[in-house]
Amino acid sequence: MDCILNQTHFLNARLADGTVADLTVAGGRFRAIAPAGNAAGSSAIDLAGQLVLPAFVEGHIHLDTSFYGDAWRPHIPCTNGFDVRERVAFQMRNLAQAAPMAERAKSQLELCVGHGSLAMRSHVMVDAAVGLKHVETILGVREKYRDLIDIQLVAFPQSGILSSPGTAELLDEALKLGCDLIGGLDPASFDRDVKGHLEIVFGLAEKRGAGVDIHLHDGGTLGLFEIEEIAARTTASGMQGKVAVSHAYALGDISADALARAGERIAAAGLAIMTNAPGDHAFPPVAALRKAGVTVFAGSDNIRDSWWPYGDGDMLNRANMIGYRSGFYEDWELEAAYDVVSQAGAKALGLEGYGIAAGAKADFVALKAEHVPEAVVAVPKERTVYRAGREVARGGKVVA
Ligand SMILES: [Zn+2]
């Protein structure tokens, strides 16, 4: 009886398939989805034909290093072409003058929730200079926001592992403190030891039962070699479905034949590939990888930080960028771009109860669009975001 009393009905919700339905929510989950006009009860919210989508998945962000909500930091170019070490040095200089990390992380979190992301994976810097300070702060932020958004944290070796003595021990400690995954960074170009780097990453993952998500910027055949090594280790460790490679630029550099072979290996190893469809850069071909059965997901990555000034925390806008840069025009292609920021993201993050279905969590976004392809192209800014069936954001602002 109690369950019936606490039901909320969302009337006239347009579903992705174009039908209009009434959604019944109780205990934070969808209990029934029925053709419009069938729900009864006093507690009803009329969605008036708005499109209802599961809340977006922000699959790659850096909560500790953004200056969103803080003073504007003009971008400093590298002196002789892109150089990760030089950018890390710029970042250290910028962070020394920044507002407190918890405040900046909070601004960035609310930006994302305001646009409709209710699940997120954030990389958090761990190295000999900052130790576990970033991890401890972001763990505190996660705890404060746990009712609003689900956050996975990656212990991220921003200064390498082998080239930054003491980092392996710090990464282990970060996992013990509560990070869910262990990260990595360009095993070849940064640490210059692919085997040594991956042995530590996968060793700690197995020891702590953690997932893996590695930043890989290395391009061409070098990057491809590293992806193959990561795939082999994933299979050897029985970690299929728990490992991701972020950026994987190399997949955008290689021939169609090489990509087809790589796609097969990546899919067989259950490796997920994260892309943010970066501006002036080759990136993993989304359509070809999806066709090969690879889970391709997306994230904002850097938002107004020491790496670049872009980013708005809007995963629907990210789907638009992915579609635009991929040359997606047909409806099924636009739907694929949307899938990258929703279902595929949920799969990559291993989220339970994702979607608009009876039994799924009632975490959703209502917006004005006829269907998914129109939402991806128009990116309507007016949205209402619901967490466990409760309104938490409207017009881009968190209200709860
Ligand atoms: Zn990143």
Side-chain angles (χ1 to χ4, degrees), residues 60 62 215 247 301:
H60 186 124
H62 293 261
H215 276 73
H247 302 307
D301 197 12

Side-chain angles (χ1 to χ4, degrees), residues 63-65 91-92 95 101 104 124-127 130-140 153:
L63 284 175
D64 53 338
T65 52
Q91 177 165 272
M92 293 311 277
L95 285 173
M101 187 181 301
R104 289 182 288 107
V124 185
M125 180 174 174
V126 172
D127 75 3
V130 305
L132 296 167
K133 265 190 294 187
H134 290 212
V135 165
E136 285 161 354
T137 302
I138 301 301
L139 279 167
L153 298 179

Side-chain angles (χ1 to χ4, degrees), residues 116-366:
S117 291
L118 295 180
M120 164 184 286
R121 176 178 288 178
S122 174
H123 295 250
V124 185
M125 180 174 174
V126 172
D127 75 3
V130 305
L132 296 167
K133 265 190 294 187
H134 290 212
V135 165
E136 285 161 354
T137 302
I138 301 301
L139 279 167
V141 171
R142 170 167 81 174
E143 187 56 31
K144 258 192 202 136
Y145 279 81
R146 62 179 307 146
D147 290 340
L148 195 59
I149 180 169
D150 299 315
I151 304 176
Q152 297 181 352
L153 298 179
V154 186
F156 170 46
Q158 175 76 85
S159 305
I161 301 176
L162 298 163
S163 49
S164 176
T167 300
E169 292 74 14
L170 288 168
L171 291 169
D172 188 27
E173 199 57 35
L175 293 173
K176 225 164 79 186
L177 284 176
C179 284
D180 309 280
L181 302 99
I182 178 161
L185 175 66
D186 292 320
S189 68
F190 208 93
D191 270 354
R192 308 190 74 80
D193 182 352
V194 177
K195 191 164 179 272
H197 188 101
L198 294 181
E199 241 159 44
I200 293 173
V201 169
F202 279 87
L204 288 176
E206 287 188 69
K207 177 180 168 190
R208 298 282 176 205
V212 171
D213 192 331
I214 297 175
H215 276 73
L216 188 65
H217 311 91
D218 289 337
T221 48
L222 177 62
L224 181 60
F225 171 76
E226 291 170 88
I227 291 167
E228 288 169 352
E229 288 296 295
I230 294 167
R233 282 195 180 260
T234 301
T235 306
S237 318
M239 287 185 63
Q240 294 93 331
K242 291 191 73 186
V243 179
V245 177
S246 284
H247 302 307
Y249 292 151
L251 296 174
D253 292 335
I254 55 179
S255 70
D257 282 355
L259 180 66
R261 283 194 298 274
E264 262 175 46
R265 290 175 92 147
I266 294 167
L271 266 190
I273 301 291
M274 191 300 299
T275 187
N276 60 341
D280 183 23
H281 213 292
F283 69 107
V286 175
L289 288 170
R290 284 173 58 90
K291 199 173 167 203
V294 176
T295 301
V296 182
F297 68 116
S300 299
D301 197 12
N302 310 99
I303 296 178
R304 293 196 195 176
D305 67 2
S306 307
W307 298 75
W308 63 28
Y310 291 101
D312 63 359
D314 182 354
M315 291 308 290
L316 190 55
N317 194 34
R318 187 64 52 186
N320 179 292
M321 287 183 216
I322 287 163
Y324 184 87
R325 284 220 61 202
S326 300
F328 289 172
Y329 303 125
E330 294 178 58
D331 281 2
W332 68 270
E333 293 175 310
L334 296 169
E335 281 163 3
Y338 162 73
D339 187 72
V340 168
V341 306
S342 55
Q343 289 289 352
K347 189 176 175 202
L349 269 64
L351 303 181
E352 178 273 324
Y354 185 85
I356 308 293
K361 288 181 179 169
D363 291 354
F364 63 97
V365 182

Side-chain angles (χ1 to χ4, degrees), residues 347-389:
K347 189 176 175 202
L349 269 64
L351 303 181
E352 178 273 324
Y354 185 85
I356 308 293
K361 288 181 179 169
D363 291 354
F364 63 97
V365 182
L367 49 81
K368 284 200 179 89
E370 281 292 309
H371 39 55
V372 167
E374 192 197 358
V376 170
V377 169
V379 195
K381 288 290 172 199
E382 271 305 312
R383 299 172 205 173
T384 314
V385 184
Y386 297 88
R387 167 79 158 174

